[in-house]
Amino acid sequence: MSKSNKILTLVLIGVGLIALAIFIAIFANGSETRTSEPQDNNSISAVYCTANGMEDRFYYSENVNTIENEIKITYNNSSIDKIYYSYDGVYRSNDVMRQDDGIFQAKYNNYMSENGQKSEDLSVAYDEMNTKLHIGVYADSVDKLNEVTAVFFFVSKEDVNQFKKYSMEEVSKYYKNKGFSCNTVK
């Protein structure tokens, strides 16, 4: 290697080391930033209930082969916080499933409108997968559970105000009396 190539190589290595030192000084200056959300002393727990083929429900069809119904209720500091219902129906064909999907969406919108509620009062999602239809109905606050919306969660309108005050054990008993099997998570 010639003397000029050695000098050029050393200069390039030196410039690289200086650039690295500047980079380290700027981006790794010894300080650390941490981001976190403040933690309240909240205790989150849940009731999870399932049942197959419930007849007494809002989403009902004679075209479905099998159905699984799920109810999930979260508690925050021993009070009901959020409530979720899901319908998983398996159909004999994609066409039959799509027909029920359209009927269920229209039925939901009409029911809410006829009873003075906005369709957006609850979060509802309809998902089609081959011959399976999944419907999820979510109330992000127990305040959204009322005499109209209670039907989506298998709560009778006569029970809704008392239901909102139920403990986890009382909710489990309520759904077990309707044919569900329930578990609690604390």
Side-chain angles (χ1 to χ4, degrees), residues 89-101:
V90 178
Y91 294 80
R92 70 179 176 270
S93 73
N94 184 274
D95 291 337
V96 174
M97 179 271 302
R98 295 186 104 193
Q99 180 182 4
D100 266 5
D101 184 15

Side-chain angles (χ1 to χ4, degrees), residues 29 37-38 65 106 112 116-117 178-179:
N29 60 7
E37 293 184 24
N65 291 345
M112 293 293 276
Q117 300 282 307
K178 291 184 174 280

Side-chain angles (χ1 to χ4, degrees), residues 139-158:
D140 61 1
S141 166
V142 71
D143 295 333
K144 292 187 177 180
L145 187 64
N146 58 44
E147 290 182 0
V148 174
T149 61
V151 68
F152 301 108
F153 306 103
F154 293 83
V155 177
S156 67
K157 64 181 178 179
E158 296 81 24

Side-chain angles (χ1 to χ4, degrees), residues 50-175:
T50 61
N52 294 323
M54 301 292 293
E55 292 291 326
D56 182 25
R57 63 186 184 279
F58 183 82
Y59 293 107
Y60 175 77
S61 170
E62 293 191 13
N63 298 323
V64 68
N65 291 345
T66 62
I67 303 168
E68 183 174 312
N69 298 285
E70 293 180 342
I71 300 285
K72 296 174 186 171
I73 300 172
T74 58
Y75 281 75
N76 190 352
N77 291 330
S78 303
S79 298
I80 293 177
D81 185 33
K82 297 171 179 51
I83 187 166
Y84 174 78
Y85 164 72
S86 72
Y87 164 102
D88 285 305
V90 178
Y91 294 80
R92 70 179 176 270
S93 73
N94 184 274
D95 291 337
V96 174
M97 179 271 302
R98 295 186 104 193
Q99 180 182 4
D100 266 5
D101 184 15
I103 290 169
F104 288 156
Q105 288 187 43
K107 182 179 178 183
Y108 172 82
N109 290 330
N110 290 337
Y111 174 80
M112 293 293 276
S113 176
E114 290 168 359
N115 288 286
Q117 300 282 307
K118 296 177 187 169
S119 60
E120 308 86 42
D121 287 350
L122 299 174
S123 298
V124 182
Y126 300 87
D127 297 310
E128 299 177 353
M129 298 159 279
N130 295 322
T131 60
K132 183 177 180 182
L133 176 61
H134 173 82
I135 303 170
V137 182
Y138 176 68
D140 61 1
S141 166
V142 71
D143 295 333
K144 292 187 177 180
L145 187 64
N146 58 44
E147 290 182 0
V148 174
T149 61
V151 68
F152 301 108
F153 306 103
F154 293 83
V155 177
S156 67
K157 64 181 178 179
E158 296 81 24
D159 296 338
V160 71
N161 290 323
Q162 188 61 35
F163 180 89
K164 293 197 275 187
K165 300 174 189 173
Y166 280 173
S167 68
M168 291 177 67
E169 292 75 22
E170 290 170 319
V171 164
S172 289
K173 183 178 178 183
Y174 185 85
Y175 282 111

